[in-house]
Amino acid sequence: MAKMLTEKLSLTCDRLLSHRQLACCYSYFSIPRHGKEVLVYSTKDGKQKPLVLTGHHGDISALTFGKRSSPVILCSASADYVIVWDIELCQKRTQEGKVAAGTIIGTLLGEVVHLSFCFSDARVAACTGATACILSLKRPETIRTLTGHLGPVTSAEFCPWNNDILVTTSEDRTFRVWDLKTEAVFFQSFVLSASPLLTAFFLEEHRHLITGSTDGQVWCFSLSDDHKCHLVTKMDLEKMEKRHQMHQESVSHQAGCVGKSSADKVETSKPVLKMALCRPLSDINGDQENDNSWFCIGSSDGLYVVDLATSELVTALYFKDYPKLSIAMAGSWTISPGCDNSMLMLVSSLFTPCVVMLEVRLCDLGRPLACGEGFSVFPSSPPLPNSPLNTELKRKEPSHPKKKGGVKDQPLVFHCKVKSSGYTSAPRRIMFSPKTNVQKNSSSRKKADGNTGSLLKDYPPDGAAPAIPCAGVSVKKHVSCLQYSGDGKQILCGLGDSTLLLYKSCLTGAPAVYIGHDKPISSLSWSLSRRWWLSASEDLSLQIWTHCNSEPAIIMGDKMFSKPIRGAQFYYLDKFVLLASGPSLYLYLYNLDITRDDIKRYHQRSVSTLAGCFTTTSATDIIALSAINDFFSHIVLVCGSDRSIQVFDMNKGTVASEVPDAHSRAIHCITQNKGSAFSSQAPDSYNLFLTSAVTDGMKIWDLRTLRCVRRYENHVNRCQPCSSAISPCGRFIATGSEDNCAYVYDIRSSNYLHRLQKHSDTVLNVAFNPATPQLLTGTLDGKLRLFKSSSGSSLSCDTSAAVHSVLNKTV
């Protein structure tokens, strides 16, 4: 094991300090001695004698350093006094042989359990009983007295971006956001837990407030400009630890290592004693965005580093794994940034009168384990000679019987109407007369100019997310799936009554209706050429349709599949049809021939041939699948009923890697960042994919590392399979929700951007228009609603040439 946790100093105290707030900063740390004295040690020179500060008449219950590095200010509190000390001035007076003295800023407040400086070091918050007192360093008086909690106040923290905002936690299991100017309460939380709240912590960059309780529960709230708190995510330290251990065991199993037995493991309570920002220099990919969301939790059995973006445990440093430490269980934590990319931690022992100074090297924390080798949606080499992707469809040559002689049959008339020869009409006397003074049609010219200008129009890369309702229509049956065509001009809508509807993208006019299935539609897919599309249903059949034909060109059914088709799409630039049924992944070649013989009207000339069949590991049933069709890609992602994500390499026809227990429930929706023909993104961004599971929110994954990089949990998804989608620009995520809303997230933040309300029922499906900033939603009661962007513009009438030109460049 890497030596990430080291003990710099161990002190034996004259009494137990397990529930006292101790002080630690970059240069010093402080503990009480004999109850009434304060000892200040240097963190840089362990051999230097401590500075002794006297002045209290009662037992010291709380200590804290100021936020500024110069001058270094220490505040100490007892039942009689609250005293502020200038450390450098006190050291100077001691060296001169004088008595070091502090400034009394509070008297007879009672037992103070927590102290906190504001970020300008001008005020101090002192928690005593059910009251939080705000003291001034300039004059010995109480500026504000904040009362209202029903239990003792356990902590108080100033907001780093607004010093007039204070957050307090209490044993009444709530927290409050205070306005220090008026002593008013901006926000009061509901009862969060059955256990008291112990601490609060601000994550300034994301404007998040995090609080934790004695039973290991952690809540993250967004603190908006209106000072209202919205829940972003909730975490359970014990559950995160179990998921982390399972992940480590699976990685060790893949690497051939033998993991530790769980027989000797003892479960202990994991109170959230202290939280602090944890920012290593860089992670495995040098992604600083993820580092800013890391924070550490000091608990009774060790230190836990949590990635707030994913709500997962990065690593856990247990005291039991470091036998040379002088501490086995912690009673209190004080955490401070150190030097050379490290953190200093002053920890008091829970059962023994001992205090230790620990150091954690942050650069060692940024090495998360991956589940396997890295992958990319872009192939690094051409297909292998025996690859399933090289399979070609064998076409039968038409056989015509040879005739031994005679005159061959020749058609006399090639058209249904024959133009008159003109013998019966009067002879023409004027053979040619040119037209002069012809006026050009200005409207047609403007229309042509408009179309020409629209060909160069791309999807706006920096536009706002679609959130303004602009159209709606009722289809009367629940919407099971939605998909836009590649040019954004048409919409396929699969219904729960087995009907397939084809709408214009503006939802105007009557839709074209296609009937062929017997049970609800499970998936839809447009071809890249937009000349045909496929539909799969719960009736164990797949049908491929073409324009202007009310009957499918290919019907794949008739007991070909033993289980329902959970996912189907065109694949490899329309060369294959990819579908999943049961534990198998099928790859079909096909050829469409829509011509029909009037005599043999029901004879299907289109053909389909099985090119390959692949089975998941452990033969788990496939629930969802995703693959790229817009460009050549060997990667196919499938989600199994055992909650796993499996990566198929279709070049080899095998499962290349697997992510076990990707969600706490089986994944019902997986979608990749496919972009569109109207937008371009950084190549690495196409390696992102999104998964959704009931009761477990959404996760976005990186295919290169096969690990979750962010989690989204603001929407409600308790029982319905609500779908999700990534915008063509790769900046937004949309998802359905069971609170009659659709949610739009910024892909870089776990907090939602827009909550699209006023739907009449659960929003089951969402889809982004690939050509213009529009979002389409479909509900359980059969309503389609269209949302546009405030800064986006609608798509013009004809964009087919633009699509073909972009596709040609891409291919």
Side-chain angles (χ1 to χ4, degrees):
M1 176 183 293
K3 193 175 181 180
M4 290 185 279
L5 190 65
T6 57
E7 181 178 302
K8 295 188 65 177
L9 182 66
S10 177
L11 297 175
T12 301
C13 305
D14 57 348
R15 62 186 64 193
L16 197 64
L17 300 177
S18 57
H19 299 294
R20 301 296 175 100
Q21 180 190 10
L22 307 181
C24 180
C25 68
Y26 175 80
S27 304
Y28 305 97
F29 70 93
S30 177
I31 61 173
R33 185 180 68 173
H34 303 312
K36 301 176 178 61
E37 296 180 352
V38 178
L39 296 182
V40 180
Y41 291 84
S42 172
T43 59
K44 299 178 181 180
D45 187 4
K47 298 181 180 180
Q48 183 179 352
K49 291 184 178 181
L51 174 65
V52 181
L53 304 177
T54 59
H56 288 280
H57 299 291
D59 289 342
I60 297 171
S61 55
L63 294 164
T64 188
F65 281 103
K67 299 293 194 299
R68 293 185 173 184
S69 58
S70 179
V72 179
I73 300 175
L74 174 67
C75 183
S76 59
S78 62
D80 51 355
Y81 296 134
V82 177
I83 304 177
V84 173
W85 313 82
D86 187 332
I87 300 302
E88 295 176 356
L89 181 60
C90 291
Q91 284 180 336
K92 184 178 179 180
R93 292 178 63 88
T94 302
Q95 293 173 358
E96 295 175 353
K98 301 179 181 178
V99 177
T103 303
I104 298 175
I105 61 173
T107 57
L108 302 177
L109 296 181
E111 184 179 1
V112 177
V113 297
H114 186 271
L115 291 171
S116 177
F117 275 95
C118 71
F119 283 80
S120 61
D121 286 350
R123 291 173 293 182
V124 175
C127 302
T128 170
T131 304
C133 300
I134 309 301
L135 309 176
S136 174
L137 269 67
K138 296 181 180 179
R139 53 188 183 276
E141 64 179 9
T142 302
I143 304 175
R144 293 281 186 264
T145 302
L146 308 178
T147 59
H149 280 290
L150 302 180
V153 179
T154 54
S155 70
E157 297 292 339
F158 287 90
C159 179
W161 60 87
N162 189 343
N163 275 338
D164 291 325
I165 294 178
L166 183 79
V167 172
T168 57
T169 60
S170 172
E171 291 185 9
D172 63 5
R173 300 160 293 169
T174 68
F175 71 87
R176 292 191 175 197
V177 181
W178 300 86
D179 181 8
L180 297 183
K181 293 181 179 179
T182 61
E183 297 187 14
V185 179
F186 278 137
F187 179 82
Q188 180 178 358
S189 73
F190 51 88
V191 175
L192 297 179
S193 172
S195 302
L197 302 183
L198 290 183
T199 182
F201 163 65
F202 283 99
L203 200 60
E204 181 178 3
E205 184 163 349
H206 301 282
R207 299 293 178 95
H208 285 166
L209 167 65
I210 307 173
T211 183
S213 64
T214 57
D215 59 350
Q217 305 294 318
V218 181
W219 295 264
C220 176
F221 293 85
S222 63
L223 189 57
S224 57
D225 294 334
D226 60 355
H227 311 300
K228 302 298 182 183
C229 294
H230 304 280
L231 181 63
V232 175
T233 185
K234 178 187 176 184
M235 295 165 280
D236 189 320
L237 201 55
E238 185 176 353
K239 291 181 179 179
M240 287 192 295
E241 180 189 37
K242 289 181 179 179
R243 290 196 299 266
H244 180 67
Q245 291 175 351
M246 291 176 61
H247 175 74
Q248 284 186 318
E249 290 174 359
S250 63
V251 172
S252 300
H253 178 72
Q254 292 182 10
C257 302
V258 179
K260 292 183 179 180
S261 174
S262 58
D264 57 346
K265 293 181 180 179
V266 179
E267 292 188 1
T268 59
S269 61
K270 301 182 185 302
V272 181
L273 301 176
K274 188 67 177 178
M275 294 183 290
L277 182 64
C278 180
R279 183 178 299 177
L281 286 177
S282 61
D283 67 355
I284 191 171
N285 296 314
D287 186 6
Q288 191 67 22
E289 181 71 22
N290 287 340
D291 298 340
N292 294 338
S293 63
W294 286 14
F295 69 100
C296 57
I297 298 175
S299 189
S300 57
D301 59 345
L303 184 73
Y304 297 85
V305 180
V306 179
D307 187 354
L308 183 62
T310 61
S311 300
E312 295 294 342
L313 198 63
V314 177
T315 187
L317 307 178
Y318 301 105
F319 295 140
K320 61 182 179 62
D321 293 334
Y322 298 87
K324 295 183 180 181
L325 293 182
S326 303
I327 188 172
M329 297 289 288
S332 68
W333 288 75
T334 304
I335 305 174
S336 173
C339 59
D340 298 330
N341 197 30
S342 65
M343 294 184 69
L344 297 178
M345 302 171 185
L346 188 63
V347 186
S348 65
S349 177
L350 182 61
F351 301 117
T352 59
C354 176
V355 173
V356 296
M357 172 66 67
L358 304 178
E359 183 180 31
V360 175
R361 306 292 301 180
L362 297 179
C363 55
D364 296 330
L365 300 179
R367 299 181 185 141
L369 297 173
C371 292
E373 57 178 315
F375 298 95
S376 174
V377 294
F378 299 103
S380 58
S381 60
L384 301 173
N386 58 346
S387 172
L389 300 177
N390 285 330
T391 310
E392 297 293 338
L393 185 66
K394 296 181 180 179
R395 302 185 182 183
K396 294 182 180 179
E397 295 294 334
S399 60
H400 299 288
K402 296 182 180 180
K403 295 184 179 181
K404 295 183 179 180
V407 180
K408 296 183 179 180
D409 294 333
Q410 296 288 342
L412 298 178
V413 179
F414 294 92
H415 304 285
C416 58
K417 292 182 180 181
V418 180
K419 188 176 181 181
S420 173
S421 60
Y423 291 123
T424 59
S425 61
R428 297 180 61 179
R429 298 184 182 276
I430 301 175
M431 300 303 294
F432 175 72
S433 177
K435 294 181 180 181
T436 58
N437 298 328
V438 178
Q439 295 182 356
K440 295 182 178 180
N441 192 346
S442 60
S443 61
S444 63
R445 183 176 68 251
K446 290 181 180 178
K447 183 176 181 180
D449 293 342
N451 289 339
T452 304
S454 67
L455 300 183
L456 304 177
K457 197 167 188 178
D458 293 334
Y459 193 98
D462 54 354
I468 302 175
C470 59
V473 68
S474 175
V475 296
K476 299 182 180 179
K477 297 293 181 179
H478 86 266
V479 180
S480 57
C481 45
L482 291 171
Q483 192 178 50
Y484 275 95
S485 60
D487 58 358
K489 295 172 63 177
Q490 292 176 303
I491 299 169
L492 277 176
C493 177
L495 302 183
D497 64 348
S498 74
T499 306
L500 185 64
L501 302 180
L502 181 62
Y503 278 96
K504 294 180 180 179
S505 61
C506 54
L507 296 180
T508 58
V513 182
Y514 296 87
I515 300 175
H517 291 286
D518 297 328
K519 290 186 178 181
I521 308 295
S522 59
S523 61
L524 297 169
S525 177
W526 280 92
S527 69
L528 192 62
S529 62
R530 306 186 314 280
R531 292 183 295 175
W532 50 79
W533 60 88
L534 65 80
S535 60
S537 171
E538 297 288 340
D539 61 2
L540 311 183
S541 71
L542 182 144
Q543 300 178 2
I544 301 180
W545 307 77
T546 59
H547 277 284
C548 304
N549 285 289
S550 59
E551 298 176 358
I554 292 181
I555 299 177
M556 300 169 62
D558 194 19
K559 299 181 180 180
M560 292 177 61
F561 312 107
S562 60
K563 293 186 178 182
I565 300 172
R566 295 303 181 189
Q569 67 169 84
F570 292 99
Y571 174 59
Y572 215 65
L573 295 182
D574 289 349
K575 180 179 180 180
F576 299 99
V577 169
L578 184 70
L579 63 94
S581 176
S584 301
L585 188 66
Y586 297 92
L587 200 63
Y588 278 90
L589 289 166
Y590 65 97
N591 179 53
L592 295 181
D593 187 355
I594 60 176
T595 60
R596 292 187 182 275
D597 190 348
D598 290 338
I599 297 176
K600 300 179 180 180
R601 177 171 176 79
Y602 294 101
H603 178 69
Q604 182 176 291
R605 296 190 176 185
S606 302
V607 294
S608 61
T609 303
L610 182 64
C613 180
F614 318 96
T615 306
T616 58
T617 58
S618 69
T620 180
D621 284 355
I622 298 174
I623 298 179
L625 72 86
S626 178
I628 300 288
N629 186 42
D630 292 13
F631 52 84
F632 290 114
S633 177
H634 301 163
I635 298 297
V636 175
L637 303 174
V638 301
C639 301
S641 57
D642 59 350
R643 309 193 305 272
S644 68
I645 300 174
Q646 299 186 26
V647 181
F648 274 85
D649 184 357
M650 301 306 292
N651 188 22
K652 301 177 181 178
T654 59
V655 178
S657 188
E658 181 181 3
V659 181
D661 298 311
H663 281 266
S664 61
R665 299 288 182 92
I667 298 169
H668 63 260
C669 177
I670 180 171
T671 178
Q672 293 175 266
N673 183 20
K674 302 177 182 180
S676 77
F678 295 88
S679 65
S680 61
Q681 303 179 30
D684 289 341
S685 61
Y686 291 96
N687 291 309
L688 299 177
F689 64 94
L690 189 69
T691 58
S692 301
V694 172
T695 71
D696 202 27
M698 296 186 298
K699 291 183 179 181
I700 193 163
W701 304 75
D702 192 336
L703 187 61
R704 296 166 296 176
T705 58
L706 282 181
R707 66 185 180 96
C708 175
V709 294
R710 188 168 292 278
R711 183 192 288 253
Y712 310 88
E713 296 181 295
N714 283 163
H715 59 287
V716 180
N717 191 7
R718 299 189 180 99
C719 60
Q720 298 289 347
C722 300
S723 72
S724 54
I726 302 177
S727 65
C729 61
R731 296 169 53 231
F732 306 112
I733 293 174
T735 181
S737 180
E738 296 176 22
D739 57 353
N740 301 353
C741 298
Y743 286 76
V744 179
Y745 293 88
D746 187 333
I747 198 171
R748 301 163 298 180
S749 174
S750 299
N751 196 25
Y752 66 88
L753 281 176
H754 301 289
R755 186 168 175 258
L756 310 181
Q757 305 181 25
K758 297 183 179 179
H759 289 85
S760 53
D761 207 337
T762 298
V763 179
L764 285 180
N765 289 276
V766 293
F768 281 100
N769 191 318
T772 187
Q774 289 183 349
L775 175 67
L776 182 66
T777 62
T779 62
L780 185 62
D781 62 347
K783 301 289 178 62
L784 297 177
R785 295 189 68 188
L786 193 62
F787 296 85
K788 66 178 182 179
S789 171
S790 59
S791 59
S793 58
S794 60
L795 185 66
S796 61
C797 300
D798 185 12
T799 56
S800 57
V803 174
H804 286 299
S805 64
V806 175
L807 286 177
N808 291 335
K809 292 179 182 178
T810 305
V811 176

